[in-house]
PDB file of all heavy atoms in Angstrom:
ATOM      1  N   PHE A 162      16.922 -39.536   3.710  1.00  0.00           N
ATOM      2  CA  PHE A 162      15.512 -39.685   3.388  1.00  0.00           C
ATOM      3  C   PHE A 162      14.874 -38.296   3.312  1.00  0.00           C
ATOM      4  O   PHE A 162      15.225 -37.394   4.071  1.00  0.00           O
ATOM      5  CB  PHE A 162      14.778 -40.509   4.452  1.00  0.00           C
ATOM      6  CG  PHE A 162      15.208 -41.951   4.503  1.00  0.00           C
ATOM      7  CD1 PHE A 162      16.231 -42.352   5.353  1.00  0.00           C
ATOM      8  CD2 PHE A 162      14.583 -42.906   3.711  1.00  0.00           C
ATOM      9  CE1 PHE A 162      16.627 -43.669   5.412  1.00  0.00           C
ATOM     10  CE2 PHE A 162      14.971 -44.231   3.761  1.00  0.00           C
ATOM     11  CZ  PHE A 162      16.002 -44.618   4.609  1.00  0.00           C
ATOM     12  N   THR A 163      13.939 -38.161   2.384  1.00  0.00           N
ATOM     13  CA  THR A 163      13.177 -36.925   2.247  1.00  0.00           C
ATOM     14  C   THR A 163      11.760 -37.160   2.750  1.00  0.00           C
ATOM     15  O   THR A 163      11.136 -38.161   2.397  1.00  0.00           O
ATOM     16  CB  THR A 163      13.122 -36.470   0.777  1.00  0.00           C
ATOM     17  OG1 THR A 163      14.453 -36.238   0.303  1.00  0.00           O
ATOM     18  CG2 THR A 163      12.317 -35.177   0.636  1.00  0.00           C
ATOM     19  N   TYR A 164      11.260 -36.229   3.556  1.00  0.00           N
ATOM     20  CA  TYR A 164       9.933 -36.372   4.151  1.00  0.00           C
ATOM     21  C   TYR A 164       9.068 -35.161   3.833  1.00  0.00           C
ATOM     22  O   TYR A 164       9.506 -34.016   3.989  1.00  0.00           O
ATOM     23  CB  TYR A 164      10.044 -36.512   5.672  1.00  0.00           C
ATOM     24  CG  TYR A 164      10.805 -37.740   6.109  1.00  0.00           C
ATOM     25  CD1 TYR A 164      12.178 -37.686   6.344  1.00  0.00           C
ATOM     26  CD2 TYR A 164      10.153 -38.956   6.290  1.00  0.00           C
ATOM     27  CE1 TYR A 164      12.889 -38.808   6.746  1.00  0.00           C
ATOM     28  CE2 TYR A 164      10.847 -40.086   6.699  1.00  0.00           C
ATOM     29  CZ  TYR A 164      12.212 -40.005   6.909  1.00  0.00           C
ATOM     30  OH  TYR A 164      12.902 -41.125   7.306  1.00  0.00           O
ATOM     31  N   GLY A 165       7.856 -35.433   3.382  1.00  0.00           N
ATOM     32  CA  GLY A 165       6.858 -34.385   3.216  1.00  0.00           C
ATOM     33  C   GLY A 165       5.852 -34.468   4.351  1.00  0.00           C
ATOM     34  O   GLY A 165       5.326 -35.547   4.652  1.00  0.00           O
ATOM     35  N   CYS A 166       5.601 -33.334   5.001  1.00  0.00           N
ATOM     36  CA  CYS A 166       4.835 -33.339   6.249  1.00  0.00           C
ATOM     37  C   CYS A 166       3.699 -32.327   6.236  1.00  0.00           C
ATOM     38  O   CYS A 166       3.758 -31.323   5.518  1.00  0.00           O
ATOM     39  CB  CYS A 166       5.762 -33.008   7.431  1.00  0.00           C
ATOM     40  SG  CYS A 166       7.264 -34.002   7.458  1.00  0.00           S
ATOM     41  N   GLU A 167       2.704 -32.599   7.057  1.00  0.00           N
ATOM     42  CA  GLU A 167       1.566 -31.697   7.220  1.00  0.00           C
ATOM     43  C   GLU A 167       1.454 -31.294   8.689  1.00  0.00           C
ATOM     44  O   GLU A 167       1.480 -32.160   9.569  1.00  0.00           O
ATOM     45  CB  GLU A 167       0.280 -32.381   6.776  1.00  0.00           C
ATOM     46  CG  GLU A 167      -0.953 -31.496   6.876  1.00  0.00           C
ATOM     47  CD  GLU A 167      -2.212 -32.236   6.440  1.00  0.00           C
ATOM     48  OE1 GLU A 167      -2.553 -33.261   7.076  1.00  0.00           O
ATOM     49  OE2 GLU A 167      -2.845 -31.778   5.472  1.00  0.00           O
ATOM     50  N   PHE A 168       1.313 -29.988   8.954  1.00  0.00           N
ATOM     51  CA  PHE A 168       1.164 -29.515  10.319  1.00  0.00           C
ATOM     52  C   PHE A 168      -0.222 -29.866  10.849  1.00  0.00           C
ATOM     53  O   PHE A 168      -1.203 -29.909  10.103  1.00  0.00           O
ATOM     54  CB  PHE A 168       1.388 -28.000  10.391  1.00  0.00           C
ATOM     55  CG  PHE A 168       2.769 -27.571   9.970  1.00  0.00           C
ATOM     56  CD1 PHE A 168       2.962 -26.351   9.329  1.00  0.00           C
ATOM     57  CD2 PHE A 168       3.865 -28.368  10.196  1.00  0.00           C
ATOM     58  CE1 PHE A 168       4.229 -25.951   8.928  1.00  0.00           C
ATOM     59  CE2 PHE A 168       5.137 -27.984   9.811  1.00  0.00           C
ATOM     60  CZ  PHE A 168       5.316 -26.764   9.174  1.00  0.00           C
ATOM     61  N   GLN A 169      -0.293 -30.093  12.163  1.00  0.00           N
ATOM     62  CA  GLN A 169      -1.531 -30.534  12.800  1.00  0.00           C
ATOM     63  C   GLN A 169      -1.935 -29.590  13.934  1.00  0.00           C
ATOM     64  O   GLN A 169      -1.079 -29.062  14.648  1.00  0.00           O
ATOM     65  CB  GLN A 169      -1.356 -31.947  13.384  1.00  0.00           C
ATOM     66  CG  GLN A 169      -0.918 -32.999  12.380  1.00  0.00           C
ATOM     67  CD  GLN A 169      -2.030 -33.368  11.430  1.00  0.00           C
ATOM     68  OE1 GLN A 169      -3.083 -33.848  11.841  1.00  0.00           O
ATOM     69  NE2 GLN A 169      -1.796 -33.153  10.144  1.00  0.00           N
ATOM     70  N   GLU A 170      -3.234 -29.375  14.086  1.00  0.00           N
ATOM     71  CA  GLU A 170      -3.815 -28.704  15.259  1.00  0.00           C
ATOM     72  C   GLU A 170      -3.262 -27.298  15.483  1.00  0.00           C
ATOM     73  O   GLU A 170      -3.092 -26.862  16.632  1.00  0.00           O
ATOM     74  CB  GLU A 170      -3.605 -29.552  16.519  1.00  0.00           C
ATOM     75  CG  GLU A 170      -4.203 -30.942  16.429  1.00  0.00           C
ATOM     76  CD  GLU A 170      -3.896 -31.792  17.647  1.00  0.00           C
ATOM     77  OE1 GLU A 170      -3.521 -31.222  18.697  1.00  0.00           O
ATOM     78  OE2 GLU A 170      -4.014 -33.022  17.546  1.00  0.00           O
ATOM     79  N   LEU A 171      -2.995 -26.578  14.401  1.00  0.00           N
ATOM     80  CA  LEU A 171      -2.501 -25.206  14.557  1.00  0.00           C
ATOM     81  C   LEU A 171      -3.632 -24.284  15.001  1.00  0.00           C
ATOM     82  O   LEU A 171      -4.738 -24.331  14.456  1.00  0.00           O
ATOM     83  CB  LEU A 171      -1.934 -24.684  13.237  1.00  0.00           C
ATOM     84  CG  LEU A 171      -0.564 -25.189  12.799  1.00  0.00           C
ATOM     85  CD1 LEU A 171      -0.244 -24.646  11.415  1.00  0.00           C
ATOM     86  CD2 LEU A 171       0.513 -24.802  13.790  1.00  0.00           C
ATOM     87  N   LEU A 172      -3.340 -23.448  15.974  1.00  0.00           N
ATOM     88  CA  LEU A 172      -4.270 -22.381  16.322  1.00  0.00           C
ATOM     89  C   LEU A 172      -4.212 -21.299  15.252  1.00  0.00           C
ATOM     90  O   LEU A 172      -3.230 -21.198  14.505  1.00  0.00           O
ATOM     91  CB  LEU A 172      -3.910 -21.787  17.688  1.00  0.00           C
ATOM     92  CG  LEU A 172      -3.920 -22.746  18.888  1.00  0.00           C
ATOM     93  CD1 LEU A 172      -3.419 -22.024  20.133  1.00  0.00           C
ATOM     94  CD2 LEU A 172      -5.301 -23.331  19.112  1.00  0.00           C
ATOM     95  N   ARG A 173      -5.240 -20.491  15.180  1.00  0.00           N
ATOM     96  CA  ARG A 173      -5.267 -19.446  14.149  1.00  0.00           C
ATOM     97  C   ARG A 173      -4.095 -18.478  14.315  1.00  0.00           C
ATOM     98  O   ARG A 173      -3.502 -18.052  13.329  1.00  0.00           O
ATOM     99  CB  ARG A 173      -6.590 -18.686  14.216  1.00  0.00           C
ATOM    100  CG  ARG A 173      -6.725 -17.614  13.148  1.00  0.00           C
ATOM    101  CD  ARG A 173      -8.116 -17.044  13.094  1.00  0.00           C
ATOM    102  NE  ARG A 173      -9.087 -18.051  12.669  1.00  0.00           N
ATOM    103  CZ  ARG A 173     -10.381 -17.797  12.511  1.00  0.00           C
ATOM    104  NH1 ARG A 173     -10.860 -16.598  12.750  1.00  0.00           N
ATOM    105  NH2 ARG A 173     -11.190 -18.753  12.117  1.00  0.00           N
ATOM    106  N   THR A 174      -3.762 -18.141  15.561  1.00  0.00           N
ATOM    107  CA  THR A 174      -2.633 -17.226  15.791  1.00  0.00           C
ATOM    108  C   THR A 174      -1.321 -17.873  15.368  1.00  0.00           C
ATOM    109  O   THR A 174      -0.432 -17.199  14.829  1.00  0.00           O
ATOM    110  CB  THR A 174      -2.551 -16.828  17.266  1.00  0.00           C
ATOM    111  OG1 THR A 174      -2.522 -18.018  18.089  1.00  0.00           O
ATOM    112  CG2 THR A 174      -3.740 -15.978  17.670  1.00  0.00           C
ATOM    113  N   GLU A 175      -1.179 -19.192  15.588  1.00  0.00           N
ATOM    114  CA  GLU A 175       0.031 -19.896  15.190  1.00  0.00           C
ATOM    115  C   GLU A 175       0.142 -19.963  13.669  1.00  0.00           C
ATOM    116  O   GLU A 175       1.224 -19.781  13.100  1.00  0.00           O
ATOM    117  CB  GLU A 175       0.038 -21.297  15.790  1.00  0.00           C
ATOM    118  CG  GLU A 175       0.146 -21.308  17.310  1.00  0.00           C
ATOM    119  CD  GLU A 175      -0.035 -22.687  17.901  1.00  0.00           C
ATOM    120  OE1 GLU A 175      -0.678 -23.538  17.247  1.00  0.00           O
ATOM    121  OE2 GLU A 175       0.457 -22.926  19.013  1.00  0.00           O
ATOM    122  N   GLU A 176      -0.981 -20.205  13.006  1.00  0.00           N
ATOM    123  CA  GLU A 176      -0.981 -20.227  11.547  1.00  0.00           C
ATOM    124  C   GLU A 176      -0.606 -18.851  10.993  1.00  0.00           C
ATOM    125  O   GLU A 176       0.129 -18.746  10.005  1.00  0.00           O
ATOM    126  CB  GLU A 176      -2.348 -20.645  11.019  1.00  0.00           C
ATOM    127  CG  GLU A 176      -2.399 -20.768   9.502  1.00  0.00           C
ATOM    128  CD  GLU A 176      -3.750 -21.241   8.999  1.00  0.00           C
ATOM    129  OE1 GLU A 176      -4.537 -21.780   9.797  1.00  0.00           O
ATOM    130  OE2 GLU A 176      -4.013 -21.054   7.800  1.00  0.00           O
ATOM    131  N   SER A 177      -1.087 -17.797  11.635  1.00  0.00           N
ATOM    132  CA  SER A 177      -0.753 -16.441  11.203  1.00  0.00           C
ATOM    133  C   SER A 177       0.736 -16.176  11.330  1.00  0.00           C
ATOM    134  O   SER A 177       1.359 -15.581  10.440  1.00  0.00           O
ATOM    135  CB  SER A 177      -1.542 -15.419  12.024  1.00  0.00           C
ATOM    136  OG  SER A 177      -2.923 -15.521  11.785  1.00  0.00           O
ATOM    137  N   LEU A 178       1.349 -16.606  12.443  1.00  0.00           N
ATOM    138  CA  LEU A 178       2.780 -16.428  12.644  1.00  0.00           C
ATOM    139  C   LEU A 178       3.574 -17.177  11.577  1.00  0.00           C
ATOM    140  O   LEU A 178       4.543 -16.642  11.014  1.00  0.00           O
ATOM    141  CB  LEU A 178       3.189 -16.915  14.037  1.00  0.00           C
ATOM    142  CG  LEU A 178       2.814 -16.032  15.220  1.00  0.00           C
ATOM    143  CD1 LEU A 178       3.073 -16.763  16.533  1.00  0.00           C
ATOM    144  CD2 LEU A 178       3.609 -14.732  15.198  1.00  0.00           C
ATOM    145  N   LEU A 179       3.158 -18.412  11.290  1.00  0.00           N
ATOM    146  CA  LEU A 179       3.853 -19.196  10.269  1.00  0.00           C
ATOM    147  C   LEU A 179       3.715 -18.562   8.894  1.00  0.00           C
ATOM    148  O   LEU A 179       4.682 -18.455   8.145  1.00  0.00           O
ATOM    149  CB  LEU A 179       3.289 -20.618  10.241  1.00  0.00           C
ATOM    150  CG  LEU A 179       3.850 -21.593  11.277  1.00  0.00           C
ATOM    151  CD1 LEU A 179       3.027 -22.873  11.305  1.00  0.00           C
ATOM    152  CD2 LEU A 179       5.307 -21.917  10.981  1.00  0.00           C
ATOM    153  N   ARG A 180       2.500 -18.113   8.558  1.00  0.00           N
ATOM    154  CA  ARG A 180       2.278 -17.521   7.239  1.00  0.00           C
ATOM    155  C   ARG A 180       3.108 -16.244   7.079  1.00  0.00           C
ATOM    156  O   ARG A 180       3.701 -16.009   6.027  1.00  0.00           O
ATOM    157  CB  ARG A 180       0.789 -17.224   7.042  1.00  0.00           C
ATOM    158  CG  ARG A 180       0.418 -16.880   5.605  1.00  0.00           C
ATOM    159  CD  ARG A 180      -1.069 -16.596   5.485  1.00  0.00           C
ATOM    160  NE  ARG A 180      -1.879 -17.730   5.846  1.00  0.00           N
ATOM    161  CZ  ARG A 180      -2.208 -18.719   5.004  1.00  0.00           C
ATOM    162  NH1 ARG A 180      -1.807 -18.673   3.752  1.00  0.00           N
ATOM    163  NH2 ARG A 180      -2.964 -19.720   5.404  1.00  0.00           N
ATOM    164  N   ALA A 181       3.141 -15.427   8.132  1.00  0.00           N
ATOM    165  CA  ALA A 181       3.929 -14.197   8.063  1.00  0.00           C
ATOM    166  C   ALA A 181       5.410 -14.512   7.894  1.00  0.00           C
ATOM    167  O   ALA A 181       6.128 -13.829   7.149  1.00  0.00           O
ATOM    168  CB  ALA A 181       3.700 -13.367   9.329  1.00  0.00           C
TER     169      ALA A 181
END
Side-chain angles (χ1 to χ4, degrees):
F162 293 92
T163 300
Y164 298 92
C166 310
E167 182 181 61
F168 298 147
Q169 303 288 300
E170 302 176 18
L171 284 175
L172 300 175
R173 182 171 295 182
T174 53
E175 294 172 336
E176 183 178 343
S177 295
L178 286 170
L179 277 169
R180 192 180 299 275

